[in-house]
């Protein structure tokens, strides 16, 4: 009788595994860049001919060395050989085989090997490459996801997003080879990468990397490139956020006087942060057309909303130069002065003014806890404490809410707590006996 199956063999990327140590490094790298798998044929009952069955990888290509991959696939090969000799058939129900033959002889596969091999074939039909197809590599898949995300993210957000995706792709290529199929990445592998990010940087960076990767993998799942977003199940780590410190009254006067004497453009930039309570990057987004001097309004894109309207207080209008004849499409703040073209990213613009302010910090010996954002904290604190002198706390916060631009009272109260704006009255009398 003709044999029902061919002997399971291991494909090692076109290289001879037995003479691996003698191969040139380039051939080794090229081989590891390809998928390794166990393959075999089984006689099709309908035709009586041997038919190539789905390749069995079982996560072998997660390993980055020949030794690890080959050892993993050898185990699969041994298990499959045992099962085939015991009567396993990819065309039949193997339930009875599991109950009768497992663990009855030395060298039997672990319980569940039949289901594992069958599942591998099923997955290959849904998320893996079919015979003759080119697998979707990690780099290619990430680029595909990035091209989609680029249309939904702001420029400043996409730059960081793309950078984190690129670093992850480079890590995967270095660890498992550039040709690793994206469908083979699992939760454990992503966790290993995030743990390395944590050790190298901080919990905050690790959480940011996790969030961006989860968004990318969700895009791949939505477009049926992968079956499941494995990053979604990875929890965030608790972090201790770092915030810019509020200036004391004396320090504030010293900082502003130094800026006034040496950098009038930076002073006006600071005034927008201080009087309109804008974030530095929001000031960088302002164009001439966004400033309505007649109606005393400014229009901006914020962190949470596409468009927002805020009033321009008279104290700021008095310091604003005449912009009526400037090109409406020009940016309000540029390195050369007010109103001009500035073709660079928002991140670079914010970084430019941060560096200008760094000169002031260095002269005064201020640490990294003080920044442009500190002016926003300081002036909101001043405004709240003045309002709280004449009004109950809730009324003061209600008046402050539309000025700061926070979306809810809860958000404002949390912000005030974070910057220590709300302090109790002197409680010395409580210690008196």
């Amino acid at each position: 009788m003709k044999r029902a199956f061919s002997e399971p063999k291991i494909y090692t990327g076109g290289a001879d595994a037995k003479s691996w140590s003698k191969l040139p490094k380039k051939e080794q790298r090229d081989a590891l860049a390809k998928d390794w798998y166990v393959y075999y044929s089984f006689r099709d009952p309908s035709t009586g001919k041997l038919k190539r069955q789905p390749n069995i990888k079982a996560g072998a290509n997660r390993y980055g060395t020949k030794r690890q991959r080959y050892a993993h696939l050898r185990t699969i090969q041994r298990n499959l050989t045992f099962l085939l000799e015991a009567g396993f058939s990819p065309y039949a129900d193997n339930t009875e085989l599991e109950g009768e033959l497992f663990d009855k002889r030395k060298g039997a596969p672990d319980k569940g090997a039949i289901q594992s091999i069958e599942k591998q074939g099923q997955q290959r039909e849904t998320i893996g490459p079919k015979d003759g197809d080119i697998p979707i590599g990690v780099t290619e898949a990430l680029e595909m996801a990035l091209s989609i995300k680029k249309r939904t993210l702001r420029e400043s957000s996409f730059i960081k997003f793309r950078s984190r995706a690129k670093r992850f792709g480079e890590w995967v290529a270095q660890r498992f080879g550039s040709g690793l199929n994206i469908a083979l990445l699992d939760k454990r592998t992503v966790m290993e990468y995030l743990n390395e990010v944590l050790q190298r940087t901080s919990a905050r960076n690790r959480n940011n990397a996790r969030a961006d990767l989860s968004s990318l993998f969700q895009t791949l799942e939505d477009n049926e490139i992968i079956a499941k977003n494995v990053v979604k199940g990875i929890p965030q780590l608790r972090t201790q956020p770092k915030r810019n410190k509020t200036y004391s009254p004396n320090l504030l006067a010293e900082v502003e006087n130094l800026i006034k004497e040496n950098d009038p453009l930076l002073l006006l930039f600071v005034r927008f942060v201080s009087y309109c309570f804008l974030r530095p990057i929001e000031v960088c987004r302002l164009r001439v057309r966004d400033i309505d001097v007649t109606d005393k309004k400014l229009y901006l894109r914020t962190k949470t909303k596409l468009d927002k309207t805020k009033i321009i207080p008279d104290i700021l209008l008095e310091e604003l130069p005449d912009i009526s004849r400037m090109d409406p499409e020009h940016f309000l703040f540029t390195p050369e002065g007010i109103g001009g073209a500035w073709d660079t990213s928002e991140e670079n613009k914010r970084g430019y003014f941060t560096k200008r302010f760094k000169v002031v910090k260095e002269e005064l010996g201020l640490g990294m806890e003080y920044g442009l954002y500190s002016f926003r904290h300081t002036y909101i604190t001043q405004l709240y404490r003045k309002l709280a002198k004449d009004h109950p706390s809730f009324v003061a916060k209600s008046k402050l809410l539309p000025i700061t631009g926070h979306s809810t009272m809860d958000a404002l109260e949390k912000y005030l707590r974070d910057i220590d704006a709300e302090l109790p009255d002197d409680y010395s009398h409580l210690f008196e006996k």
Side-chain angles (χ1 to χ4, degrees), residues 160-211:
K160 292 182 179 179
F161 198 86
R162 180 179 58 192
S163 178
R164 292 192 178 106
K166 183 180 179 181
R167 285 195 293 270
F168 176 68
E170 290 173 348
W171 180 87
V172 171
Q174 184 179 10
R175 187 79 176 272
F176 306 110
S178 59
L180 177 67
N181 188 347
I182 187 69
L184 295 175
L185 284 180
D186 57 10
K187 179 180 176 181
R188 183 179 65 180
T189 302
V190 180
M191 277 293 297
E192 290 178 6
Y193 171 73
L194 293 177
N195 287 338
E196 289 192 15
V197 174
L198 175 63
Q199 295 298 323
R200 189 174 65 252
T201 57
S202 66
R204 181 178 181 182
N205 281 335
R206 180 264 188 199
N207 286 344
N208 289 338
R210 175 211 162 274

Side-chain angles (χ1 to χ4, degrees), residues 133-153:
D133 288 346
I134 300 175
I136 300 180
V138 172
T139 301
E140 181 185 357
L142 293 179
E143 287 295 334
M144 184 186 304
L146 283 172
S147 67
I148 297 173
K149 299 299 292 186
K150 186 175 183 179
R151 298 179 179 274
T152 62
L153 295 174

Side-chain angles (χ1 to χ4, degrees), residues 2-180:
K2 294 181 179 179
R3 201 176 187 197
F5 56 87
S6 66
E7 177 186 354
K9 296 181 180 179
I10 299 175
Y11 175 72
T12 55
D16 185 1
K18 294 181 180 179
S19 58
W20 183 264
S21 61
K22 299 179 182 179
L23 297 177
K25 294 296 183 183
K26 184 180 185 305
E27 290 188 25
Q28 293 181 2
R29 287 195 299 269
D30 290 345
L32 288 171
K34 300 176 182 178
D35 281 341
W36 292 24
Y37 49 81
V38 173
Y39 64 98
Y40 74 108
S41 297
F42 200 94
R43 200 167 298 281
D44 189 332
S46 61
T47 63
K49 297 181 179 180
L50 286 175
K51 181 179 179 181
R52 174 74 175 267
Q53 299 301 308
N55 300 330
I56 302 174
K57 303 171 187 176
N61 297 292
R62 292 197 307 263
Y63 300 105
T65 67
K66 173 261 181 184
R67 182 190 297 268
Q68 292 171 314
R69 281 196 201 182
Y70 196 73
H72 186 79
L73 290 172
R74 281 279 292 171
T75 301
I76 301 300
Q77 182 189 41
R78 179 181 64 82
N79 288 347
L80 179 58
T81 300
F82 174 84
L83 292 172
L84 289 169
E85 291 177 350
F88 170 82
S89 170
Y91 298 99
D93 183 357
N94 298 285
T95 305
E96 293 184 3
L97 179 65
E98 177 183 354
E100 293 177 4
L101 298 180
F102 275 130
D103 304 326
K104 285 192 175 182
R105 58 184 261 198
K106 186 177 181 181
D110 296 332
K111 191 173 182 63
I114 288 180
Q115 293 96 323
S116 176
I117 291 172
E118 289 179 332
K119 183 179 180 182
Q120 177 73 14
Q122 293 166 1
Q123 286 180 334
R124 188 176 178 281
E125 292 301 317
T126 57
I127 64 173
K130 296 179 176 62
D131 289 334
D133 288 346
I134 300 175
I136 300 180
V138 172
T139 301
E140 181 185 357
L142 293 179
E143 287 295 334
M144 184 186 304
L146 283 172
S147 67
I148 297 173
K149 299 299 292 186
K150 186 175 183 179
R151 298 179 179 274
T152 62
L153 295 174
R154 289 179 182 167
E155 181 186 5
S156 58
S157 299
F158 181 74
I159 291 173
K160 292 182 179 179
F161 198 86
R162 180 179 58 192
S163 178
R164 292 192 178 106
K166 183 180 179 181
R167 285 195 293 270
F168 176 68
E170 290 173 348
W171 180 87
V172 171
Q174 184 179 10
R175 187 79 176 272
F176 306 110
S178 59
L180 177 67

